[in-house]
């Protein structure tokens, strides 16, 4: 059980937090409360206390008030825009479509001012990541962390994994479920988080339509696709890549030839046979047509 817990935390948090980082985080969090009590009108104190009540205490009522004060004082500060944007999505505040568009504008403004996210790194480390370290099975803590990767770092596969972990602990959590539903719907072409293919989590519920090139690529259909017209996709079982469009087969065959295949047997007519050591299958190159194919006499 301990090993499972450690693996879960490692998968979600990433690199192991070192003791100096733990000491720094604990000290910073303790000071955030005290400094706010001493100077509740100072912007830095308001922001740090808002992050603490949002990420650590999960006191969304108090956090909303504090973020409101911070936004009034500095409505375009990148740290405040990003943190408040995550908060608005996490709490599903207001009409969903309007809130999402508002948050997108805030995040875009923050990206203009702070394109490298350097002004948010400390907040992410001290509040968001620390919250997961001390409360890794809380779905709301994981929701905040998923939104961090979704909205700030734009690492969508990691965000997807964190969402699914949160739902594994509480499948009925409305805030997590609705945010995940919105997130996945925006990963399709035309969405805010547009990707070349659907989330990797879709693969498990999909059905194989056709297997391509030595069983490495398969053409699949998603029966629960939220976006009509994008039900069909391609999946590579080795690289875990998903694509809505078919791979460039000619380019992909050339990659196989140059990196992991060798010529076997003797040339038969115009055909050269290659053996792919990864898939342990043969394919052929026709010297006359200059095309690759899976079997003799059948062009791919």
């Amino acid at each position: 059980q301990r090993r499972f817990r450690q693996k879960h935390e490692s998968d979600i948090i990433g690199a192991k937090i070192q003791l100096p980082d733990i000491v720094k985080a604990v000290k910073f969090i303790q000071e955030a409360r005290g400094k706010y009590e001493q100077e509740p009108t100072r912007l830095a104190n308001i922001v740090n206390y808002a992050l603490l009540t949002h990420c650590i205490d999960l006191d969304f009522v108090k956090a909303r008030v504090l973020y409101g004060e911070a936004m009034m004082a500095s409505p375009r500060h990148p740290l405040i825009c990003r943190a408040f944007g995550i908060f608005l999505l996490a709490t599903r505040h207001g009409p969903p479509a309007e809130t999402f568009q508002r948050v997108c504008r805030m995040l875009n403004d923050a990206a203009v001012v702070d394109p490298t996210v350097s002004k948010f790194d400390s907040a992410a480390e001290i509040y968001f990541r620390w919250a997961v370290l001390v409360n890794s099975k809380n779905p709301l803590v994981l929701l905040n962390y998923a939104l961090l990767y979704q909205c700030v770092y734009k690492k969508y596969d990691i965000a997807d994994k964190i969402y699914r972990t949160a739902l594994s602990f509480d499948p009925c959590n409305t805030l997590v479920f609705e945010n995940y539903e919105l997130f996945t719907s925006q990963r399709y072409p035309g969405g805010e988080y547009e990707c070349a293919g659907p989330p990797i989590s879709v693969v498990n519920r999909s059905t194989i339509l056709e297997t391509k090139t030595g069983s490495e690529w398969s053409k699949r259909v998603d029966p629960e696709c939220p976006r009509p017209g994008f039900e069909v996709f391609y999946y590579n079982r080795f690289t875990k890549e998903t694509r809505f469009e078919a791979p460039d087969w000619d380019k992909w065959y050339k990659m196989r030839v140059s990196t992991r295949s060798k010529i076997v047997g003797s040339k038969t007519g115009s055909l050269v046979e290659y053996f792919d050591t990864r898939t342990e299958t043969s394919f052929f190159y026709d010297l006359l047509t200059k095309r690759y194919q899976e079997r003799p006499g059948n062009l791919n």
Side-chain angles (χ1 to χ4, degrees):
Q1 187 176 11
R2 180 182 296 177
R3 286 183 178 179
F4 174 80
R5 182 171 64 252
Q6 290 174 341
K7 184 180 186 304
H8 159 66
E9 291 175 354
S10 176
D11 288 345
I12 296 301
I13 297 173
K16 185 177 180 180
I17 295 180
Q18 302 299 318
L19 180 60
D21 297 323
I22 295 175
V23 173
K24 176 183 176 182
V26 172
K27 180 181 178 181
F28 201 95
I29 290 170
Q30 291 175 341
E31 290 180 348
R33 298 184 193 276
K35 287 182 178 180
Y36 178 76
E37 291 175 358
Q38 293 172 6
E39 294 184 79
T41 59
R42 186 182 178 190
L43 180 59
N45 295 344
I46 295 172
V47 173
N48 283 318
Y49 196 46
L51 284 161
L52 189 152
T53 56
H54 169 195
C55 300
I56 307 295
D57 296 343
L58 299 177
D59 186 343
F60 292 161
V61 174
K62 183 180 290 185
R64 188 186 305 279
V65 174
L66 292 166
Y67 277 130
E69 293 176 5
M71 287 293 292
M72 286 287 291
S74 185
R76 296 193 179 279
H77 192 288
L79 189 156
I80 300 172
C81 286
R82 284 171 171 143
F84 188 42
I86 289 174
F87 175 82
L88 289 176
L89 291 179
T91 56
R92 303 290 288 171
H93 177 70
E98 293 179 16
T99 299
F100 182 67
Q101 292 304 318
R102 178 189 178 189
V103 170
C104 288
R105 290 193 295 271
M106 292 166 59
L107 295 173
N108 288 336
D109 289 343
V112 171
V113 179
D114 179 31
T116 63
V117 197
S118 61
K119 296 183 184 300
F120 200 81
D121 283 341
S122 291
E125 186 73 19
I126 293 171
Y127 295 107
F128 289 86
R129 194 161 178 242
W130 177 256
V132 176
L133 183 69
V134 299
N135 201 2
S136 63
K137 294 183 180 181
N138 188 302
L140 295 180
V141 167
L142 292 172
L143 171 60
N144 285 329
Y145 205 50
L147 287 166
L148 171 69
Y149 278 92
Q150 168 187 329
C151 299
V152 179
Y153 294 137
K154 302 186 185 301
K155 295 183 177 180
Y156 304 132
D157 287 339
I158 296 178
D160 186 89
K161 183 176 183 179
I162 299 171
Y163 272 121
R164 288 185 286 115
T165 301
L167 288 170
S168 73
F169 289 127
D170 186 0
C172 298
N173 190 295
T174 303
L175 291 177
V176 178
F177 179 81
E178 291 182 353
N179 270 285
Y180 186 48
E181 190 175 47
L182 174 63
F183 169 64
T184 53
S185 70
Q186 291 293 323
R187 293 191 70 180
Y188 289 84
E192 184 68 24
Y193 314 121
E194 178 177 344
C195 297
I200 191 66
S201 56
V202 168
V203 174
N204 290 334
R205 73 187 187 206
S206 66
T207 303
I208 296 177
L209 297 176
E210 180 183 358
T211 300
K212 301 287 287 185
T213 55
S215 299
E216 179 164 357
W217 282 98
S218 58
K219 186 177 182 181
R220 294 170 172 260
V221 61
D222 175 13
E224 301 176 29
C225 179
R227 291 285 298 277
F230 296 99
E231 296 87 353
V232 176
F233 66 97
Y234 294 84
Y235 171 66
N236 187 306
R237 68 188 178 96
F238 290 121
T239 65
K240 310 302 180 185
E241 177 186 359
T242 62
R243 299 177 55 93
F244 290 115
E245 296 184 359
D248 183 332
W249 298 119
D250 187 64
K251 181 178 179 181
W252 188 76
Y253 272 114
K254 289 177 180 178
M255 180 276 295
R256 293 175 77 188
V257 169
S258 63
T259 62
R260 65 191 205 209
S261 300
K262 57 184 178 181
I263 296 176
V264 295
S266 57
K267 187 176 70 171
T268 304
S270 63
L271 292 181
V272 177
E273 181 180 357
Y274 288 91
F275 181 77
D276 186 327
T277 56
R278 187 181 215 182
T279 62
E280 297 185 338
T281 57
S282 291
F283 62 97
F284 301 84
Y285 179 68
D286 192 316
L287 296 171
L288 295 180
T289 63
K290 300 188 184 303
R291 294 184 64 182
Y292 292 95
Q293 57 197 67
E294 286 299 296
R295 294 173 293 278
N298 292 315
L299 288 176
N300 189 59

